[in-house]
Amino acid sequence: MTSDALQDIAADLYGAHRSGKAVTSAVRNGSLSSRTDAYEIQWAQLRQRVLDHDPLRGFTAGLVSVPAQRNMDTSEPVLGHLTGSMFPPGHEPLDGGKFLCPRIEPALAFVLGEPLRGPGVTVADALRAVDRVLPALEITDSGYEDGPASVLDLIADNAGCRSVVLGTPAALSDVDLRLSGCVLHRNGEVAATGAGGMALGSPVNALVWVANAVCREDFALAAGHVVLVPCLAPAVAFEPGDTVTASMAGVGTVTAVRAR
């Protein structure tokens, strides 16, 4: 694809989430056919966010569970970015006026105490770099009419990530994240269950994957950045008035409320 074509798709997606009006899938209309181009579209949107005074705050790992990968007909995770505007103030209902068809799922948020840059990052490197871990909820959405047509659409649309609600920090040494069970409640009813091991065998493995995937000079994992690892349990719908709580054994709980 030409640079102008990539920029046009990026601008359309960026505008879709600001206006709440979905656009045509770039895969369905035949204009997107490679992962390289899909990521270039994502990076273009990140650059625009930064220009709009919405700084980079970290990255998220999408499709880190086998069921999630099967749903998108792929065998590897995808990378998305996190910016300041994606972290709403705590204990306030989320304004979902510009959400299109949001879903919500439990996640773990690793906060780095030092930079972490690949390639070659190991589990030991990642554990040394982590300052704390928090329970989190990721709200995903699609800027496309009828949702993403393939994993390429998902990558271009920031791995679907729109917003992140954080809970209270816990010490990483306090829990074996591989075995940590997770229960998701929606409006007081159990909506989904899972465990940390769903994320590439351990959320720490997903953290390592992100660190090695972010091999760019212009965007890098720095101290204070967040690495979000979702896919700990299946996502559920997040409708106006919903209250969703994720409880993660040994880590804590986090709640998100969507305004009516």
Side-chain angles (χ1 to χ4, degrees):
M1 291 182 68
T2 66
S3 178
D4 286 347
L6 292 171
Q7 292 295 329
D8 287 345
I9 296 174
D12 286 346
L13 281 170
Y14 191 64
H17 291 291
R18 292 171 70 88
S19 68
K21 297 180 180 179
V23 297
T24 303
S25 154
V27 171
R28 289 189 182 97
N29 68 21
S31 58
L32 179 59
S33 60
S34 77
R35 279 186 175 247
T36 298
D37 285 347
Y39 274 115
E40 285 303 320
I41 292 166
Q42 184 186 146
W43 302 135
Q45 292 172 79
L46 175 54
R47 293 187 189 97
Q48 187 59 56
R49 286 183 178 274
V50 172
L51 288 173
D52 290 342
H53 308 289
D54 189 10
L56 179 67
R57 286 281 305 279
F59 293 90
T60 180
L63 306 185
V64 291
S65 73
V66 171
Q69 291 175 6
R70 285 176 177 164
N71 285 341
M72 295 302 297
D73 193 26
T74 187
S75 60
E76 60 184 297
V78 297
L79 189 68
H81 60 263
L82 305 172
T83 61
S85 68
M86 295 181 184
F87 294 85
H91 310 296
E92 292 184 13
L94 295 174
D95 179 8
K98 292 181 181 177
F99 287 143
L100 295 164
C101 189
R103 297 180 66 79
I104 190 167
E105 61 185 290
L108 286 173
F110 295 97
V111 180
L112 301 183
E114 59 185 66
L116 190 60
R117 174 174 288 192
V121 171
T122 66
V123 168
D125 296 331
L127 291 174
R128 280 194 298 268
V130 172
D131 179 63
R132 58 193 184 276
V133 61
L134 298 82
L137 285 162
E138 181 187 40
I139 295 93
T140 60
D141 202 359
S142 176
Y144 301 110
E145 299 167 350
D146 302 320
S150 78
V151 68
L152 301 182
D153 272 340
L154 186 68
I155 291 169
D157 197 19
N158 193 35
C161 184
R162 294 293 158 257
S163 191
V164 180
V165 178
L166 298 176
T168 302
L172 186 58
S173 59
D174 290 345
V175 60
D176 184 342
L177 297 178
R178 298 171 301 165
L179 305 177
S180 179
C182 176
V183 180
L184 190 69
H185 287 83
R186 178 172 178 251
N187 301 324
E189 301 289 335
V190 174
T193 60
M198 292 179 67
L200 298 182
S202 168
V204 177
N205 293 338
L207 169 62
V208 171
W209 181 87
V210 169
N212 286 317
V214 184
C215 295
R216 299 178 60 91
E217 291 300 322
D218 44 354
F219 306 126
L221 282 169
H225 276 176
V226 174
V227 175
L228 192 72
V229 179
C231 298
L232 307 185
V236 299
F238 191 41
E239 298 177 352
D242 278 353
T243 297
V244 177
T245 297
S247 301
M248 303 176 198
V251 180
T253 63
V254 57
T255 297
V257 178
R258 184 175 173 187
R260 293 187 180 277

